[in-house]
Amino acid sequence: EDKVVQSPLSLVVHEGDTVTLNCSYEVTNFRSLLWYKQEKKAPTFLFMLTSSGIEKKSGRLSSILDKKELFSILNITATQTGDSAVYLCAVATRDSGSSGGTSYGKLTFGQGTILTVHP
Amino acid sequence: KAGVTQTPRYLIKTRGQQVTLSCSPISGHRSVSWYQQTPGQGLQFLFEYFSETQRNKGNFPGRFSGRQFSNSRSEMNVSTLELGDSALYLCASSSGRGDQPQHFGDGTRLSIL
């Protein structure tokens, strides 16, 4: 059974701090690892990682994947109160489709990390 | 470009009833995946539809079903509702080729009384 584990489950920091969120996985037929941010509603896409060792950056956020050790980290520098959210790690797999062919449509999610940033 | 649209946003039903949820994907996306989100189980994969065919299915009972239309819009149906079906139901769309991320709608909040 595919498994994704995130740590820590919750984190409380002050504005300006740097945080590191962890995601480890055990899946069959890995395709990619994705990070999402969820506030009140829809998870919003942050990063998609397919290759080891290549850092992806967007402003104060960055992420990297290690396919040998089966984990990824998400870094947020100079945190702001607007960064308060649940951060979700998900792994996409390449599955045999139920009607033949290949399916890429299944994401297995971790439990999420609740990040709270105080002013 | 319009995002993923889900309707209705909120729904209240009683046990034993059935419900249909709708999802309109991003224009050009052919894959729609459905997820159930609960506080206890987190986000769990229900099924994926691609080109009007169910391509993958999660570990949910047969009461959960879906379909996809020729314009890629998808519906999810839950029959004989149980209290445990109360959840946020999210759909996500993508190209379906595994080379692009899935983008999520705002979800339908289903409450069973």
Side-chain angles (χ1 to χ4, degrees):
Chain A
E1 187 183 327
D2 296 337
K3 194 173 175 184
V4 178
V5 177
Q6 291 185 244
S7 64
L9 294 183
S10 67
L11 198 50
V12 180
V13 300
H14 286 93
E15 272 193 319
D17 289 348
T18 293
V19 298
T20 298
L21 310 184
N22 304 293
C23 176
S24 63
Y25 62 92
E26 288 180 42
V27 302
T28 305
N29 295 325
F30 174 93
R31 173 70 174 159
S32 62
L33 185 143
L34 302 96
W35 286 96
Y36 290 88
K37 176 183 180 182
Q38 186 174 28
E39 296 174 86
K40 299 276 187 210
K41 305 182 285 189
T44 54
F45 170 71
L46 296 174
F47 297 111
M48 180 175 178
L49 304 153
T50 55
S51 301
S52 273
I54 298 174
E55 186 183 49
K56 293 221 171 178
K57 291 195 76 169
S58 177
R60 296 176 294 103
L61 279 67
S62 64
S63 183
I64 197 162
L65 172 67
D66 185 329
K67 289 170 75 174
K68 183 179 176 187
E69 300 298 329
L70 308 182
F71 79 90
S72 173
I73 60 172
L74 174 68
N75 279 319
I76 309 175
T77 59
T79 51
Q80 302 171 355
T81 54
D83 295 327
S84 295
V86 177
Y87 289 84
L88 295 163
C89 172
V91 173
T93 48
R94 187 181 72 252
D95 301 308
S96 298
S98 48
S99 59
T102 303
S103 165
Y104 299 103
K106 174 185 171 187
L107 294 179
T108 301
F109 282 85
Q111 322 92 298
T113 294
I114 304 171
L115 175 64
T116 304
V117 182
H118 288 309
Chain B
K1 205 173 185 181
V4 178
T5 304
Q6 290 188 246
T7 56
R9 292 293 313 281
Y10 302 93
L11 212 44
I12 300 175
K13 293 286 186 180
T14 57
R15 280 182 298 174
Q17 287 187 308
Q18 75 164 19
V19 67
T20 300
L21 313 181
S22 179
C23 173
S24 293
I26 291 170
S27 177
H29 283 182
R30 294 170 64 191
S31 170
V32 173
S33 295
W34 289 88
Y35 298 86
Q36 181 194 66
Q37 187 173 30
T38 59
Q41 299 296 319
L43 268 150
Q44 293 186 287
F45 172 74
L46 281 156
F47 30 65
E48 180 208 10
Y49 282 86
F50 181 86
S51 292
E52 302 179 64
T53 301
Q54 187 183 87
R55 196 162 69 164
N56 204 347
K57 190 175 189 313
N59 296 324
F60 279 81
R63 300 185 297 106
F64 292 82
S65 63
R67 59 179 176 168
Q68 187 180 35
F69 302 94
S70 58
N71 61 357
S72 294
R73 189 178 73 85
S74 178
E75 288 182 347
M76 188 188 93
N77 184 274
V78 188
S79 62
T80 320
L81 287 165
E82 301 177 359
L83 292 177
D85 297 334
S86 294
L88 179 66
Y89 290 89
L90 292 160
C91 85
S93 75
S94 71
S95 67
R97 296 187 301 271
D99 58 345
Q100 298 289 329
Q102 293 185 24
H103 293 277
F104 285 82
D106 285 344
T108 294
R109 172 74 62 185
L110 175 63
S111 299
I112 312 302
L113 303 178

